[in-house]
Each structure stands twice: as C-alpha cells, then as structure tokens.
Amino acid sequence: MTTASQTNAAQAPAASGGPGAPKTARGARTRARILKAAEHTFGTLGYHRAGISDITRAAGVAQGTFYTYFAGKEEILRELVRDMGHQVRAHLAAEILDTDNRLEAEERGLRAFLQYLYENPSLYRVLQEAQFVDEAIYRDYYEAFGKGYVRMLANATRKGEIRPGNNEVRVWALMGMSNFLGLRYALWEQDVSFDEIVETLSDLFRNGLTLDGKEKP
Amino acid sequence: MTTASQTNAAQAPAASGGPGAPKTARGARTRARILKAAEHTFGTLGYHRAGISDITRAAGVAQGTFYTYFAGKEEILRELVRDMGHQVRAHLAAEILDTDNRLEAEERGLRAFLQYLYENPSLYRVLQEAQFVDEAIYRDYYEAFGKGYVRMLANATRKGEIRPGNNEVRVWALMGMSNFLGLRYALWEQDVSFDEIVETLSDLFRNGLTLDGKEKP
DNA sequence: CTTCAATATGACTCCCGATTCACCTTTCCG
DNA sequence: CGGAAAGGTGAATCGGGAGTCATATTGAAG
C-alpha cells in the first residue's frame, strides 16, 4: 500500500449484472487493465472528453473488448468510483489504526488524505465528475465515508476525547475541509507543506478559531 | 435581494471580446434572457446534457440567436460563473456588513450561504461543473473569494478577535466546510436546521473539537 | 416614409464518439 | 485431437448536438 501503484480491481466481478463477469484468468486480467486505464484516462482528460477509444487504447485492447466487460461508459465510471472508494477508505483506516486519541487520528488522517490525493490525483476528478453523471454513486461514497467517520467521533465522545455535539454535521464539515485543502494544496499547488496544514487544523481542533475561548454556559 | 428571483445579469457586456456586445436595449435584454436561461438549464440538466437548443428554448429565442451574443457553449459557462460569482460575493458581503466581530460574521456568513444555496441551487452545479470545463475560471472564483476572506481574517487577527495562525489555510478549510455543508444540508436534504448547523460550527470556532482545550505552550 | 445596422430565425451541415456486430483467436476440457 | 465457450477485433453504424448561414424582421435615425 506504500507505493499504491497496483490498483487491484479484479476481485469484485462487478456489483450489478454487467455484460458478464470474466470467467477465466485472462478475462479478469483484461478487465482489470481496462478499469485501470479508465482511471487514468478519466483522471487526465475528464469523463466527457475521454472516449472509449482512449480507454481501450491505453489498455491495449480493441474497442469492442470494452463491451465484453462493461455495459457502457457510465457503468465503468460507477465501477471505478466504488473501487476507488474502497481503496481510500481502506488506506485511511489503516493509517489511523494505532492512534491514541481522536486529535491524533484527525491529524494523521488529514495528512494521509493529502498524501494519497497527491499520489492519486485521479481520485478527485473521477469522484467529482461522477457527481454529475450519477449522483447516487457520489452520495453513496460520501455517506459510506461519513458513516464510519461519525461512528469514530461517537466513540471519541464516549471516551471524553471530544466535546459533545452534532457529529454528523461535524463530519460533513470535516470532509469538506479535507476535500478543499486537498484540492488546493495537494492538487493545485504544493506551496504549503502538509505539516503546516495539519498543524493549522490541529490548532483549530484544540483551541478553536476565536481568542476568548470561553465554554458555553 | 430578499426573494433573489431577479438575476440581474445584463450590465457587464461580456468580459472578453465575444461575438459582439449588444448595442441596443433589445439586444441587452435578449442576452440577459439567454444567460438566465443558461443558468437554469445548466443547473437542472447539467452542462453536458444541456443542449444549446435547451437554452434557447428556455429563453424563447431561436438557436442562431445564441451565437449573436456568445461564442459557444464554453463561453456562456465562463460568463455565467463570473456573473454568479459576483452575485454570491456581493450577497454575502452585504449580509456580513454590520457584524461586531469575526465569530458573528462567520455565523451569519455561513447561514447566509446555506440560505443562498437553497434558493439558488444552480450556483453549486454550474460552479462545480465549470471546474472540469475550464479550470481557470473555477480557480479564479475561489481565489477571488478566498482573497477577500483572508483579508477579513487578517483584520480580525489584528483586532485580537481570532488566534494568530495561517489564515490562508484556514480560509480554504472554511470554504470547504461551507461547500460540503451546503451540498448536504441545503441541496440534498434539509433534515437539519440551518440554526443547528451554524451552532455546531460556532461551537467549533469558539471551543475547538477536543475537550482538553489547552493553549499551546 | 426610407434605409440600414442590429437582431432574430431555424433548417441544415458536419463531426464526433458511443455502441454494434460479424468474424477471428485463444483457452479449456472431455 | 476436436470443438465449444470465452475472449478479442476493428470497421461500420447511427444519433445527437454544436455551430453555420442565407434570409427575414425590427426599430431608430434622418
């Protein structure tokens, strides 16, 4: 998981009933190649500019082969979002595993996310474009992400690590932060170190934004 | 600005040298109608699904008329983003004018943004899709927004209203929060009141997220 | 009342790209 | 080995939609 170069995407034979899951090892390999190529192509050209021919060319297969494994352009996008969603969640979950408290988890999680985005820029574009191709898949992604996140905050609340509050709202705020910070500082310009970003957010989590940090009555 | 039904978009004759700025009142009116129709059409169908014919139909003009005022589909999107950008910024600036301190400004700003998005859902979609059609215009939008925001935080820092810190990073985090909260709670589902959301964020700004809110050494 | 520039029209052209399909090649298994 | 299922090919189809253009209408100036 360190180099993140191998997008292992051959396992799940397709969530719905596509044209047909591969039945041989060769088929599985080809399908995975196409999926991988689509990730790169969508990530570079964008969903709409990318043609099926661009994907198949990148995968080194003929146009028709595409339809052996995917019903169409939209379906491969859906597949991709599901796939990439699992990847990030798994990656971040692993990075956070051995943390002592929520603050540390937030710090490590944010840093890991920024780093992941920097190394896998396609994730952002594929995901954000998916929103306008099939909103449901996009919502699923964030709702899945958010669900686990809320659970973690609930645990932290129980342990007395964070202030009681509306954790669902907090989670959407936190996801939004990461998203924008990633776009700006991991994808657009790396002119501020990830450490600086994490430190800034950490300070916000510890002390808030205002100076007169008085408890609520 | 209360009902926000009139998107006055006739003034700016076009930022660049389009096919020709309208030279008569009639022309200006028609151009504005098309722009307004494009906002609605893009906002509803999305940029790619929306056809020029959809826009002109909504505007009540012939297809060819479109090209009297805009060089093409991309250009009207650019125009739209600029236009809508001015609108939001002006609206939010007005809502924040008479605030006593930064915390209050953040609260009112967030509430105003959520409300604005609820009333003008097209803003979100047009803006986010523009990102993948012409990234520059999208960056311009957020950099313009962020610039003013950073200035406000700098003032607040000087006045001792907020903790010193990296205001640029903070601004991107704040913009990300608003964006996601708006998407989730203003556009997708209104199952949490704006008051509750604002209160949750306000608490974060005042007290942070963690319980042991100790100052840094 | 003319006249002309500005506008408006909508049928038509033209290209692009998703999808199809008839036909090969490889693999698997008795 | 034989042949059938799975996999692979790429040229051809087909529809949709952006952009064009020859023509018609408007309205303001003179």
Side-chain angles (χ1 to χ4, degrees):
Chain A
M1 193 55 87
T2 322
T3 50
S5 61
Q6 289 285 349
T7 308
N8 70 324
Q11 327 121 319
S16 53
K23 313 214 162 163
T24 67
R26 177 167 65 136
R29 245 176 291 131
T30 305
R31 185 179 192 278
R33 287 233 310 286
I34 295 174
L35 210 47
K36 185 84 182 151
E39 177 180 336
H40 176 259
T41 307
F42 286 157
T44 309
L45 300 177
Y47 177 77
H48 294 279
R49 274 170 232 171
I52 301 296
S53 62
D54 294 312
I55 297 174
T56 52
R57 194 178 317 121
V61 299
Q63 292 233 75
T65 304
F66 179 92
Y67 295 93
T68 302
Y69 302 106
F70 303 97
K73 203 181 176 184
E74 286 202 13
E75 195 196 284
I76 200 176
L77 181 67
R78 274 188 281 269
E79 205 61 38
L80 217 39
V81 170
R82 268 186 225 107
D83 212 69
M84 298 173 89
H86 288 152
Q87 296 245 162
V88 210
R89 283 201 295 277
H91 181 67
L92 296 187
E95 291 283 322
I96 278 181
L97 255 191
D98 54 341
T99 45
D100 295 336
N101 57 62
R102 187 75 305 241
L103 180 62
E104 198 188 330
E106 290 299 330
E107 292 174 353
R108 288 233 231 141
L110 175 58
R111 182 181 278 101
F113 179 74
L114 294 172
Q115 191 61 33
Y116 188 87
L117 213 50
Y118 180 71
E119 287 163 4
N120 305 71
S122 298
L123 173 67
Y124 180 83
R125 182 149 199 181
V126 169
L127 190 59
Q128 293 303 315
E129 285 203 282
Q131 182 179 8
F132 304 113
V133 175
D134 180 355
E135 187 179 286
I137 199 71
Y138 181 78
R139 290 181 64 151
D140 286 350
Y141 172 89
Y142 279 109
E143 270 153 21
F145 203 113
K147 214 169 167 181
Y149 210 152
V150 166
R151 208 174 302 125
M152 293 191 291
L153 290 196
N155 285 340
T157 306
R158 197 168 338 103
K159 287 195 214 160
E161 290 175 2
I162 66 174
R163 305 169 50 75
N166 188 325
N167 285 330
E168 190 189 287
V169 170
R170 281 169 168 172
V171 158
W172 283 90
L174 290 167
M175 292 193 298
M177 280 182 170
S178 302
N179 212 47
F180 258 52
L181 291 170
L183 176 63
R184 169 63 182 78
Y185 296 107
L187 299 180
W188 283 355
E189 271 181 88
Q190 296 80 42
D191 56 353
V192 174
S193 75
F194 292 171
D195 281 349
E196 165 84 8
I197 296 167
V198 170
E199 182 46 47
T200 300
L201 270 282
S202 178
D203 179 76
L204 174 66
F205 296 151
R206 274 179 282 126
N207 307 309
L209 188 61
T210 58
L211 257 181
D212 49 352
K214 53 183 177 288
E215 286 283 320
K216 285 196 302 178
Chain B
M1 193 57 85
T2 322
T3 49
S5 60
Q6 289 284 349
T7 308
N8 69 322
Q11 325 120 320
S16 54
K23 313 214 163 160
T24 66
R26 179 169 62 135
R29 245 176 292 132
T30 304
R31 185 179 192 279
R33 286 232 310 286
I34 295 174
L35 210 46
K36 184 84 180 152
E39 178 182 335
H40 177 258
T41 307
F42 286 157
T44 307
L45 300 178
Y47 177 78
H48 295 280
R49 273 171 235 174
I52 302 296
S53 61
D54 294 312
I55 297 173
T56 52
R57 194 178 317 120
V61 299
Q63 292 230 63
T65 304
F66 178 93
Y67 295 92
T68 303
Y69 301 106
F70 303 97
K73 204 181 175 184
E74 285 202 14
E75 195 194 286
I76 200 175
L77 182 67
R78 274 188 281 272
E79 204 62 39
L80 217 38
V81 171
R82 269 187 224 105
D83 211 70
M84 297 172 90
H86 288 151
Q87 296 245 161
V88 209
R89 284 200 295 277
H91 181 65
L92 294 188
E95 291 283 323
I96 278 180
L97 255 189
D98 54 341
T99 44
D100 295 334
N101 56 64
R102 187 76 304 241
L103 180 63
E104 197 187 331
E106 290 299 331
E107 291 173 354
R108 286 232 231 141
L110 175 59
R111 183 182 276 102
F113 179 73
L114 294 173
Q115 189 63 33
Y116 189 87
L117 213 49
Y118 180 71
E119 285 163 5
N120 303 71
S122 298
L123 172 68
Y124 180 83
R125 182 151 200 178
V126 170
L127 190 59
Q128 294 303 314
E129 284 203 280
Q131 180 178 8
F132 304 112
V133 176
D134 179 356
E135 186 179 284
I137 198 72
Y138 182 78
R139 291 181 64 151
D140 286 350
Y141 172 88
Y142 278 110
E143 270 153 21
F145 203 113
K147 214 170 166 180
Y149 210 152
V150 168
R151 207 175 301 125
M152 292 191 291
L153 290 197
N155 285 341
T157 305
R158 195 168 338 103
K159 288 195 213 161
E161 290 175 359
I162 66 173
R163 305 169 51 76
N166 189 323
N167 285 330
E168 191 190 285
V169 170
R170 282 169 167 171
V171 157
W172 283 89
L174 290 167
M175 290 194 299
M177 280 182 171
S178 301
N179 213 46
F180 258 52
L181 291 170
L183 176 63
R184 169 63 181 78
Y185 296 108
L187 298 180
W188 284 354
E189 270 181 88
Q190 296 80 42
D191 55 353
V192 174
S193 74
F194 291 171
D195 281 349
E196 166 84 8
I197 296 167
V198 170
E199 181 45 47
T200 299
L201 271 281
S202 177
D203 179 75
L204 173 66
F205 296 152
R206 274 179 282 126
N207 307 310
L209 188 60
T210 59
L211 256 182
D212 49 353
K214 52 184 177 287
E215 286 284 321
K216 282 196 303 178

